[in-house]
Amino acid sequence: MKQHIQSLFQHAFDQLQADNVIPADHQAVIRIERTKDASHGDFACNLAMMLAKKARMKPRDLAEKIIAALPNSEAVDKVEIAGPGFINLFLTSNASHSAITTILEQKQTYGLSQIGAGKSVLIEFVSANPTGPLHVGHGRGAAYGAALADLLKAAGYNVSKEYYVNDAGRQMDILAASIWLRYLDLCGESFTFPSNGYQGDYVWDIAATLHRENQDKYRHAASDVFADVPADEPDGGDKELHIDGLINKMKQLLGEQTARDVLQLGLDAILGDIEHDLGQFGVTYDEWFSEYSLTSNNLVSKAIDQVKDGGFTHEQDGALWFKSSDFGDEKDRVLVKENGALTYLASDIAYHANKLERGFDILINIWGADHHGYIARLKAAIQALGADASKLQVLLVQFATLYRGQEKLQMSTRSGKFVTLRELREEVGKDAARFFYVQRKAEQHLDFDLELAKSQSNDNPVYYIQYAHARICSVFRELSEKGGEWDIAKADLNRLDTSHEAELIKLLSRFPETVENAAKAYEPHQLTYYLRDLAQAFHTYYNAHKFLVDDAELSQSRLSLCKAIQQVLQNGLTIIGVSAPEVM
């Protein structure tokens, strides 16, 4: 309907240009807004005020000419001029009620659009280091990324979802060393575990598998392992130097390949858990991209050569630097350290070169808010690779803070003291977790209230919305138990004339534009607000009116409205990854 109204004003604009009222070379963006006050009609347009200066007329005088040029439409009951020159349109009752028949005809496709025009989008999200189970801090990025992917699909984009597996680099070496040291402990060696190692129970589990499958094959005396290793922090040393020394000793004693095998055992176990947890959370991926493959397939060296060939590197103090400051970054960045080690940026440039080669129109990275400072250098890299920096959209997500009552729960992977995503899902359920994670703007801080998420009350937004859907299902069960049937052919939708019904119909008609607006802004939370409003309007309606009444025509009309509400609740909940239960 909004598009139909826009087409009417476009026709009027074209006519006024043909009549030389508006300059022929002038372009205008015609904005149609829904009115907030029903007394102002259903839609409003400010075109007269926008064009008054160009037309050299008073806005209200121009508004009269625009109205005169509007083509007739069966959907429009009347048009009025308000205030300084707003044009308000009032729809006919048939036009308003057409939203119900449209919903019931389109069903699951109601709300879908083609604003994405089939453009290809790659969304990379979560991508947590595979050094331990996913915790509740990762859950928000997972819920947001999955909901955004489905939202963009609903808006007509061709979406691919990807998890970037950080299976190379120092953190993975720390994990491998942690597993091996726990393995040595199981072999009977006695020593103090490094303060900077991974200390969670999952490390013991992986070490137990390593020991069960290999017995003492990889055993070395603790005295040999810790010989000449710098002291740890509790002993007055440096914890970073201590763990690096243990990593080097592991590779010396086991050999590079065996150390990699230990790493791979841990990686496979942890990635398997991550994939399982995300799957149970309703989050799946089209691709799991290995960072290790970037070096093993020489993609990093190729990307560095590409940046070099563009003249965007220089050498200083034995290191290779990327001239990111040429593209607006605050300073240049190291690609290859003086010891020959690659930086994270070098791998990231190679990864994004690969993304560009795969031909995606839009690259979306969902990162934790603490990575904000990394955006400029990566956009600089995109430009150095010969692409438009606007192709990359980096969306930041604040980590959620979890509370149980007044207690703030810890989320430290290194210490092993954290609440896993699996534990959260098992405690509050997938639906509540998914909804709570996306109910605010991603960049806003989120306090996750466990007790509220589990409560069956109107204060719990996901329960409140799902209960609206279940209530509608109960109405149709009652209808069936009484031997009745719903038949829209026996309804007269013009009988839906109460203020509650008018509000609900207006809300239902807003759903497609809500999906479009949310997709354009990358904001799934807009849907949670919409669904809460729709649920609230329905609950009010349910409490004020009976649906199964003796007046068959009125009953069928109200049932048709309920069926439309049920469908839109389903469609909205599906996009954000939440179920629509029939019984609660």
Side-chain angles (χ1 to χ4, degrees):
M1 184 57 64
K2 189 174 182 180
Q3 292 173 344
H4 174 66
I5 299 299
Q6 193 164 19
S7 71
L8 299 180
F9 277 93
Q10 184 65 55
H11 182 280
F13 175 79
D14 294 342
Q15 184 63 52
L16 292 179
Q17 280 193 320
D19 295 341
N20 295 318
V21 175
I22 300 169
D25 61 348
H26 184 68
Q27 300 293 320
V29 177
I30 299 173
R31 294 187 174 87
I32 308 298
E33 301 293 340
R34 290 187 179 274
T35 59
K36 295 180 180 179
D37 187 339
S39 66
H40 296 160
D42 297 286
F43 292 96
C45 181
N46 66 349
L47 189 61
M49 290 183 289
M50 289 174 56
L51 298 177
K53 188 173 182 180
K54 283 286 181 183
R56 297 182 178 180
M57 298 178 66
K58 293 180 179 179
R60 289 185 67 92
D61 293 341
L62 181 57
E64 290 180 0
K65 289 187 175 292
I66 293 173
I67 291 172
L70 287 172
N72 291 328
S73 169
E74 294 182 355
V76 179
D77 182 34
K78 63 178 179 177
V79 185
E80 293 181 348
I81 301 172
F86 285 104
I87 301 174
N88 294 338
L89 286 87
F90 295 75
L91 299 181
T92 64
S93 59
N94 284 340
S96 297
H97 297 144
S98 67
I100 296 174
T101 53
T102 299
I103 293 165
L104 298 177
E105 288 170 1
Q106 295 182 359
K107 298 182 180 178
Q108 292 92 340
T109 63
Y110 180 71
L112 304 187
S113 78
Q114 288 302 315
I115 62 167
K119 289 183 180 179
S120 60
V121 181
L122 178 63
I123 302 182
E124 181 229 320
F125 61 107
V126 182
S127 299
N129 285 340
T131 51
L134 294 178
H135 57 58
V136 295
H138 300 124
R140 191 176 189 190
Y144 174 62
L148 179 60
D150 286 339
L151 177 59
L152 293 178
K153 286 178 184 176
Y157 291 89
N158 183 11
V159 180
S160 294
K161 296 174 289 182
E162 188 158 286
Y163 190 114
Y164 181 55
V165 181
N166 301 105
D167 54 355
R170 183 169 179 265
Q171 293 306 316
M172 294 306 298
D173 284 339
I174 295 175
L175 174 67
S178 301
I179 293 169
W180 184 55
L181 290 169
R182 290 304 192 197
Y183 159 85
L184 293 178
D185 201 332
L186 293 171
C187 289
E189 297 296 326
S190 180
F191 54 86
T192 301
F193 193 79
S195 60
N196 212 22
Y198 286 97
Q199 303 182 39
D201 290 342
Y202 64 94
V203 178
W204 280 108
D205 294 338
I206 299 167
T209 300
L210 182 65
H211 186 261
R212 184 171 59 253
E213 294 179 354
N214 298 278
Q215 298 302 313
D216 286 357
K217 182 178 178 180
Y218 303 134
R219 181 175 183 174
H220 288 270
S223 57
D224 294 335
V225 174
F226 285 83
D228 302 321
V229 171
D232 201 355
E233 188 172 75
D235 299 321
D238 186 308
K239 65 179 180 180
E240 303 293 349
L241 294 177
H242 182 67
I243 195 68
D244 285 343
L246 289 171
I247 290 168
N248 291 334
K249 192 60 70 75
M250 174 185 68
K251 293 179 178 180
Q252 290 172 15
L253 295 174
L254 296 182
E256 290 280 351
Q257 186 55 54
T258 301
R260 181 70 200 183
D261 291 342
V262 172
L263 185 157
Q264 194 65 46
L265 177 69
L267 177 66
D268 291 345
I270 293 171
L271 267 185
D273 276 349
I274 288 174
E275 187 170 5
H276 173 78
D277 283 347
L278 288 172
Q280 293 295 306
F281 198 49
V283 179
T284 59
Y285 291 88
D286 301 294
E287 182 73 29
W288 294 73
F289 192 99
S290 164
E291 179 188 359
Y292 185 66
S293 71
L294 294 172
T295 51
S296 62
N297 294 329
N298 296 319
L299 297 181
V300 177
S301 59
K302 289 178 182 177
I304 290 176
D305 287 343
Q306 186 176 347
V307 175
K308 271 186 182 179
D309 292 343
F312 303 122
T313 62
H314 68 90
E315 293 189 15
Q316 180 180 330
D317 301 327
L320 182 68
W321 293 71
F322 170 41
K323 296 180 181 179
S324 56
S325 60
D326 287 358
F327 302 97
D329 193 11
E330 61 183 3
K331 63 181 181 180
D332 292 346
R333 308 290 177 175
V334 176
L335 294 177
V336 184
K337 299 177 183 178
E338 62 274 10
N339 62 0
L342 297 169
T343 63
Y344 287 120
L345 180 59
S347 294
D348 281 337
I349 292 175
Y351 178 39
H352 286 78
N354 177 271
K355 288 183 179 182
L356 292 169
E357 288 173 5
R358 284 185 269 164
F360 291 100
D361 297 310
I362 303 171
L363 306 178
I364 295 178
N365 290 358
I366 297 177
W367 291 349
D370 55 337
H371 287 75
H372 179 271
Y374 204 78
I375 297 174
R377 71 193 74 170
L378 194 52
K379 280 188 171 286
I382 294 291
Q383 294 177 79
L385 292 168
D388 186 344
S390 65
K391 267 198 156 191
L392 175 66
Q393 299 290 324
V394 179
L395 308 177
L396 299 177
V397 177
Q398 287 282 356
F399 282 135
T401 302
L402 188 65
Y403 286 87
R404 179 175 283 114
Q406 298 299 314
E407 180 190 3
K408 180 179 177 181
L409 304 180
Q410 298 299 312
M411 289 178 286
S412 169
T413 309
R414 187 67 60 83
S415 69
K417 297 177 180 178
F418 55 85
V419 176
T420 65
L421 181 59
R422 181 179 302 179
E423 290 169 335
L424 176 70
R425 191 188 74 246
E426 290 174 349
E427 181 166 349
V428 306
K430 176 184 79 71
D431 287 342
R434 286 287 298 261
F435 189 96
F436 269 65
Y437 275 132
V438 299
Q439 69 176 328
R440 291 183 181 275
K441 278 189 176 183
E443 64 267 28
Q444 289 182 339
H445 180 76
L446 174 66
D447 287 340
F448 195 117
D449 186 339
L450 277 174
E451 299 307 318
L452 178 60
K454 291 188 293 183
S455 68
Q456 295 186 356
S457 70
N458 292 345
D459 294 329
N460 180 349
V462 66
Y463 175 84
Y464 190 64
I465 294 165
Q466 288 180 318
Y467 185 44
H469 183 271
R471 260 186 161 177
I472 295 172
C473 292
S474 72
V475 169
F476 283 90
R477 281 196 301 273
E478 184 182 351
L479 174 68
S480 179
E481 290 166 1
K482 291 181 175 180
E485 291 182 349
W486 165 62
D487 185 355
I488 191 173
K490 297 178 180 178
D492 177 4
L493 299 182
N494 288 318
R495 298 288 302 277
L496 301 174
D497 54 7
T498 70
S499 59
H500 293 131
E501 289 158 344
E503 180 186 3
L504 280 163
I505 292 168
K506 183 175 284 191
L507 274 169
L508 292 174
S509 66
R510 270 182 44 209
F511 182 65
E513 63 198 71
T514 300
V515 172
E516 286 193 1
N517 291 338
K520 289 175 183 176
Y522 300 148
E523 293 181 347
H525 78 273
Q526 290 189 26
L527 283 178
T528 67
Y529 290 173
Y530 171 86
L531 292 170
R532 182 67 186 263
D533 288 345
L534 181 58
Q536 183 176 23
F538 171 75
H539 287 306
T540 303
Y541 180 47
Y542 181 93
N543 293 330
H545 300 279
K546 292 183 180 295
F547 305 144
L548 305 182
V549 294
D550 293 336
D551 185 334
E553 188 180 68
L554 179 60
S555 184
Q556 290 293 341
S557 301
R558 288 179 173 173
L559 288 171
S560 297
L561 175 58
C562 287
K563 204 70 175 176
I565 297 167
Q566 180 188 27
Q567 186 66 66
V568 171
L569 287 171
Q570 284 180 13
N571 293 0
L573 288 169
T574 297
I575 290 174
I576 60 174
V578 177
S579 70
E582 296 185 2
V583 179
M584 293 182 69

